[in-house]
Structures are given as structure tokens and as C-alpha cells.
Amino acid sequence: MSTDTISYSDTNYFSSLITDYLAQKSTLKPFYSRFPEIGNFGQQLEEKKEFFNKNGKRETLVAVLKEQYEKVPASEATLKNIELLGKDNTFTVTTGHQLNLFTGPLYFLYKIVTTINLAQELKEKYPDHDFVPVYWMATEDHDFEEINFFNVHGKKFQWNLPAVEERGGAVGELPTAGLEDVFKLFSAEIGDTANARQLKEWFKKAYLEHDDLAAATRYLANELFGKYGLVILDGHNRKLKKQFVPHMQQELLEKSSCKASVSSAEALEKKGYSVQVNPREINLFYLEKGLRERIIEKDGNYFVHDQDITWSRQEILELLEREPKKFSPNVLMRPLYQEVVLPNLCYIGGGGELAYWFELKEYFEQQKVPFPILLLRNSVLIQTEKQDQKRRKLNISIPELFLKNHELINRKVRQISNIDIDLSPQKEHLVNQFQGLYEVAEKTDKSFLGAVKAQEVKQLKGLENLEKRLLKAQKKKLEDEVSRIAALQNELFPNKGLQERHQNFSEFYLEYGENLIPLLLKNLKPLELKFDILSL
């Protein structure tokens, strides 16, 4: 196997917000605390230690995890990590993800591999402390259409719930009914090799032998990563939310997250960045079976959007104290909740996730909660040895692979053509000739300047059209090479996008089996901050 890297900016798939962050541009420094460099974690853990090691938070966390793992065949490494979380010198690095069917896009693996590898790197740097990789299951999300499918071999395998009315609540509570049909179609697609049988076994045990989506996802993630000590946490828990009550109370009474994040969002926009999330006045949902809807305040009374549920101020505060599990932080409050209940040093996410974290530093400061280090998860393009050989034979460099399809083909046709179809010298010569005409017009009659300009534009346009026709003719002449270039890029960039955002891990498990995850763990370097190309 071989490995290559490319800068995130050179891929052209990441926003200026993310590439500027990785370049540590000064414009973004007000929006984060510490950059993800190994030496910065020492200060981070001291700050987190002072905040977290009090009020029985560790004891509560360990007790909750033990409850959640009662019916899970946890590995020795995971059980050890749960026990370690009870000690004052143990910290977490955390990633979060939706409960996508059968993990959803491939980058689910990359998130967790990044988290596991970073925990190991931190242990090497700070041997007197322990570091636990955590996967925070987004069990309270309610966007069913975002998670109910996965793609294999260009085919979409979609889960259709029998009970449509159940879709409005937390997805973690969704019953796994209806997944037998998905299992049959998926099984028929992948065949009957040893690797295919392992995939079928995971799917069957996860989704056909567990009652709800949260339990199914926990089982699958544990099967894939439990041996590496991954700890899986479901934040939809009364004991954990009890610790978050003061912050939720302040949100209800003062709309604190909105006020802080709006100013940060406006500051980001002034610097030319797009805002990922626009805050609501109250960033809490009301949650019960089949229902997760936002809470609205008007004239001192509280309502559930589109529901006949209302409270006075006193009533909602009493409900919050009595049943905190009925209150669900949205995308802007969930980061704070996570950092309140975990001894966390670093959050690992994709570009879209980090974008909304940048809106939150001021909010964290107001709430007196340490803001974590933000790390962009590893991104990977996997190519087979055969695909890599094709790439080399076609003389396509790694950066060229990431060009838009027409840009790549045009560039390669120009390179391999036996005639020169780049008319740039002729265009330059024409521009120089017209410069002399401008001088003549300036000295004689300035009214001719417009006519000269029009003629220049016309003739340059003519050369451009001629160049396009020559290029088109050469593409036809070199049709075989063009088709092979296009075919290779389409294989590596399905739907003209990044492989990791479209394909499911099962496609690669069919090829590499039990070696897949160890190969990723061996080759991905969390703090290198480069896009990886792996030829396996």
C-alpha cells in the first residue's frame, strides 16, 4: 500500500472558513480557544480539570455509562476506560454523529478513527494522564430523512418506517421495524463471501435483534471499535441532563445562547464567512414519545411549536427541575451540554460541524465552561492498487484528481495532444497589437477608443472559440484516453463529490475485510491536518 496527502485547500471541497482555520489566519482567532497542536493540550487539560473535577460529575458519568453498557458486550479496553473516567487525571476526546443507518457515509469511520488515534497520541505526550475516545450518539435528533439510507455500489438502500407518525420524535427511540426488507435487499447485493457474511451478521444483529435505533447503533459501533476502547455515550439521560439544568434554566429565562451566538455569527459574516446555524430565541426542544418540537416564549408564557402544550414561567421551571429529560438541547446548545457532562479536551468533527462551533465561544465564556480544542476529522480518499496504477498510467497527479471533471479532461487533452491547442501566445500577441492601436486612437480621436476595444474583444472571442473547437476536436480524436480519465475520476468521486460523503463502509469492507479499520488506524494522523489518499 501507499499513502499520499494533499492540503485541504487544494482539494477545493472545503470552505474558506475551514481552510483559513487550518492556516491559523488571525481573522479567526477570536472564535476559538486553542489550535489543535499537541503542545496546547497541556493547558487545555489543566483548565478542564479545574472545571470538571467537582460536584460528583465523574461519579455520575461513570454510573450512567455502566447503566448504558449493561446489555452491551463491552471489550476489556472499553470497560477499563469507563473505570478510568472516575479518576481526576482522565480526560476525553469526543466526536459525535447522527444515527445513520448502517453508519451512513464512510466518514463515520474516519471520525472515530481520528478520535481513537488522538487519544493515543495524547497518552504518549502526557503519560501521567489518561485519555478516552468517546462517540456521542446524537439520539435526540429528529431528521429521519437524513439518516434512513446508505449507498452501496451506487444503489440507495432506504428504510421506510411503517408508522409515519413516529418520525417526529427523537430518532434514537425509533423502533427498528421495517428493516427486514432493507436487510434482504442489502444481502442480495453484497453476495456471499466471508466479508459479506460478516457484514450481514452485523446488520442482522444490530437492526433485527435490537428494539430501537439507539440500541442498534450502539451495538454496531461497539462491534466495529469496541476493541480499541471506544466509549459510546447516549446523552439522552436524566442524570446527565440534571447537571445541565442551570444552563437550560438560564436559556429559558434569558435566551442566553441566542444573544451570544448572534453576535459571533454577525462577526463571522463581517469577515466574509457563511454562517452555519442561525440561532433561535430559545434553543431547546420539548421532547416526549413521537414529539420533538421547539419551545417558544411569549409574554412570560411558554409554548411548544404547533402543539397544544403551554406553561407559565413557574410551571416550566418546575417541569425542568422535575423531568429534565423532557428538554432537548438543539444544535447550538448540545455542544455546551456535552462539555458540561464530559471531561472533554477536544471535539472532532467535519467542516460543517466546526463551522457552528465557531459561533459558540462567546456563549461558552458567558456560561463559564471551557471551550474545547476543535479538530477537523481526518478525510480520506481510498483507491485500490489497480486504480492507483491507472492513475499513474494516465499521468494524473494527486492534486489533479481533485479537479472538476471538465477541468481535468481539458488539462490532460492539452498535455497529450500532438498539436498545440493552447492559443495563449496568440492572445498575448493580439493584446500587444491592440495596445499600439489604443495609443494611435488616443493621439488622434479618443472617440475611436470604444471601437478599438470592441474590435479587440471580438477578435479575442474569436480566438477563444477557435481554441474551444480545437479542444473539442482533440477530445474526439483522443476519445479513448478521455473516457478512461472520466471513468477513473467517476469511480473515485461518486456523484462528482467526495467518496467519504457518499459511499458506505461496507463497500470497502467487502474488499479489505477485518484489515480495513486497522489500516485506517495505522495511517491516519489526526494532527497532521492533511487530506489523506490511501492506496490499499
Side-chain angles (χ1 to χ4, degrees), residues 48-66:
K48 191 69 178 191
K49 185 185 296 182
E50 183 179 344
F51 167 79
F52 195 79
N53 291 347
K54 52 190 175 183
N55 301 327
K57 287 186 175 182
R58 288 188 178 275
E59 292 82 353
T60 300
L61 177 60
V62 171
V64 168
L65 285 168
K66 286 182 176 180

Side-chain angles (χ1 to χ4, degrees), residues 16-182:
S16 61
L17 179 65
I18 295 304
T19 56
D20 287 355
Y21 175 58
L22 297 179
Q24 300 187 60
K25 290 194 175 179
S26 59
T27 53
L28 276 173
K29 289 191 175 176
F31 302 96
Y32 64 92
S33 179
R34 297 181 179 92
F35 192 73
E37 294 174 339
I38 195 71
N40 287 339
F41 283 88
Q43 293 174 296
Q44 191 73 25
L45 66 84
E46 290 301 327
E47 183 180 10
K48 191 69 178 191
K49 185 185 296 182
E50 183 179 344
F51 167 79
F52 195 79
N53 291 347
K54 52 190 175 183
N55 301 327
K57 287 186 175 182
R58 288 188 178 275
E59 292 82 353
T60 300
L61 177 60
V62 171
V64 168
L65 285 168
K66 286 182 176 180
E67 287 175 8
Q68 294 187 354
Y69 271 88
E70 280 181 355
K71 297 180 180 179
V72 181
S75 68
E76 288 186 16
T78 294
L79 293 175
K80 179 185 176 183
N81 277 342
I82 291 173
E83 293 294 342
L84 283 173
L85 285 169
K87 298 184 177 181
D88 289 353
N89 66 338
T90 300
F91 298 89
T92 63
V93 289
T94 301
T95 193
H97 197 66
Q98 295 174 298
L99 307 189
N100 293 73
L101 184 60
F102 212 48
T103 76
L106 186 58
Y107 66 75
F108 173 81
L109 265 64
Y110 304 154
K111 277 186 166 184
I112 295 181
V113 166
T114 306
T115 306
I116 292 169
N117 280 348
L118 179 60
Q120 292 176 345
E121 284 193 39
L122 290 172
K123 180 62 177 175
E124 292 172 8
K125 176 67 175 179
Y126 304 97
D128 294 335
H129 296 78
D130 289 299
F131 304 91
V132 174
V134 171
Y135 162 41
W136 180 287
M137 294 198 299
T139 59
E140 295 176 52
D141 283 356
H142 63 294
D143 294 319
F144 179 72
E145 283 71 22
E146 291 184 3
I147 66 166
N148 70 335
F149 67 94
F150 62 97
N151 299 304
V152 178
H153 298 153
K155 298 177 182 178
K156 185 175 184 178
F157 294 85
Q158 184 168 316
W159 173 26
N160 297 306
L161 274 180
V164 176
E165 64 273 12
E166 293 286 354
R167 296 185 189 179
V171 294
E173 297 177 348
L174 289 174
T176 50
L179 281 164
E180 297 87 352
D181 293 338
V182 178

Side-chain angles (χ1 to χ4, degrees), residues 295-424:
I295 297 171
I296 302 167
E297 185 269 337
K298 185 177 181 182
D299 299 329
N301 291 310
Y302 294 82
F303 307 84
V304 177
H305 179 64
D306 279 348
Q307 302 292 318
D308 189 22
I309 303 174
T310 64
W311 308 273
S312 68
R313 180 174 299 182
Q314 187 62 32
E315 286 171 339
I316 199 170
L317 294 179
E318 288 175 357
L319 179 64
L320 175 63
E321 191 67 34
R322 187 173 66 251
E323 297 187 68
K325 198 176 177 183
K326 286 183 176 286
F327 293 81
S328 176
N330 79 348
V331 66
L332 277 177
M333 281 197 75
R334 185 169 58 207
L336 185 75
Y337 175 40
Q338 170 192 296
E339 296 301 315
V340 165
V341 302
L342 285 174
N344 196 51
L345 303 179
C346 177
Y347 184 76
I348 295 163
E353 290 174 279
L354 297 197
Y356 66 73
W357 276 85
F358 287 128
E359 298 177 39
L360 297 174
K361 183 168 178 280
E362 184 179 340
Y363 177 44
F364 270 70
E365 289 172 348
Q366 288 182 4
Q367 299 296 303
K368 297 181 171 53
V369 177
F371 194 70
I373 291 173
L374 302 178
L375 176 63
L376 184 67
R377 64 166 172 82
N378 283 108
S379 282
V380 186
L381 172 67
I382 296 176
Q383 56 179 357
T384 63
E385 288 290 352
K386 185 176 180 181
Q387 287 170 328
D388 192 37
Q389 289 171 7
K390 285 182 183 177
R391 178 185 68 79
R392 295 175 188 276
K393 190 173 182 180
L394 291 168
N395 196 29
I396 301 173
S397 68
I398 292 295
E400 285 176 331
L401 266 184
F402 289 81
L403 293 171
K404 300 297 183 186
N405 185 262
H406 70 279
E407 293 175 350
L408 173 61
I409 288 174
N410 288 350
R411 178 180 293 193
K412 302 319 289 182
V413 166
R414 292 178 191 278
Q415 288 177 359
I416 61 180
S417 177
N418 58 0
I419 61 170
D420 188 358
I421 52 178
D422 180 3
L423 301 185
S424 296

